[in-house]
């Protein structure tokens, strides 16, 4: 349970600090609404990194919580850690890329791992629910 709860906390921290970072950049650039168009714009990248985390992290955290209530096996705890690392990798891959128009290793690892580990988590959740 500790591993799942720690991963949930880390995913929540990514959301919270990501939103704070977007607010800081908005303040510095005096852009209070909208998303700048260029794919290399710092604010655009921060908004997308935060938005993508919002799209995935809440569901992932909920999945972690439910699975943690059913004494998950070690491989599933490792999967939770892997998925948490993947979400951070994807976040920073978006945030620190030269431009979002070009792929980079962090984004590739983060997105690919999210799809694979996330699917494993969902299958495990279905198996727990179905007994």
């Amino acid at each position: 349970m500790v591993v799942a709860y720690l991963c949930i906390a880390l995913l929540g921290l990514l959301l919270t600090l990501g939103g704070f970072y977007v607010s800081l950049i908005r303040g510095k650039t005096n852009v209070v609404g909208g998303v700048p168009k260029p794919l290399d714009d710092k604010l655009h990248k921060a908004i997308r990194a935060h938005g993508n985390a919002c799209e995935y992290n809440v569901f992932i955290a909920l999945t972690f919580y439910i699975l943690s209530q059913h004494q998950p096996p070690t491989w599933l705890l490792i999967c939770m850690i892997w998925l948490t690392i993947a979400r951070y990798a994807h976040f920073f891959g978006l945030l620190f890329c030269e431009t979002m128009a070009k792929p980079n290793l962090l984004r590739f690892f983060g997105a690919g791992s999210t799809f694979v580990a996330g699917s494993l988590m969902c299958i495990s959740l279905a198996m727990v629910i179905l007994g």
Side-chain angles (χ1 to χ4, degrees), residues 15-70:
L15 279 176
T16 306
L17 293 180
F20 180 69
Y21 183 67
V22 168
S23 295
L24 283 177
I25 296 174
R26 283 191 183 283
K28 285 182 180 180
T29 59
N30 204 24
V31 177
V32 295
V35 180
K37 295 282 186 213
L39 295 177
D40 62 348
D41 182 84
K42 188 175 184 177
L43 178 57
H44 184 113
K45 293 187 290 186
I47 289 169
R48 279 314 311 138
H50 182 250
N52 189 276
C54 291
E55 293 162 3
Y56 283 93
N57 290 11
V58 176
F59 176 74
I60 291 168
L62 179 62
T63 304
F64 287 1
Y65 177 76
I66 294 169
L67 288 171
S68 75
Q69 301 305 301
H70 299 276

Side-chain angles (χ1 to χ4, degrees), residues 23-122:
S23 295
L24 283 177
I25 296 174
R26 283 191 183 283
K28 285 182 180 180
T29 59
N30 204 24
V31 177
V32 295
V35 180
K37 295 282 186 213
L39 295 177
D40 62 348
D41 182 84
K42 188 175 184 177
L43 178 57
H44 184 113
K45 293 187 290 186
I47 289 169
R48 279 314 311 138
H50 182 250
N52 189 276
C54 291
E55 293 162 3
Y56 283 93
N57 290 11
V58 176
F59 176 74
I60 291 168
L62 179 62
T63 304
F64 287 1
Y65 177 76
I66 294 169
L67 288 171
S68 75
Q69 301 305 301
H70 299 276
Q71 298 181 334
T74 302
W75 75 266
L76 204 49
L77 296 174
I78 292 168
C79 195
M80 290 178 188
I81 295 167
W82 171 30
L83 190 46
T84 302
I85 292 168
R87 296 310 307 150
Y88 270 81
H90 189 267
F91 186 91
F92 289 116
L94 282 172
L95 202 61
F96 297 120
C97 63
E98 182 181 325
T99 176
M100 290 179 28
K102 297 179 186 175
N104 67 52
L105 188 58
L106 280 176
R107 283 174 62 191
F108 179 78
F109 168 79
S113 292
T114 295
F115 301 145
V116 173
S119 295
L120 290 173
M121 301 299 290
C122 291

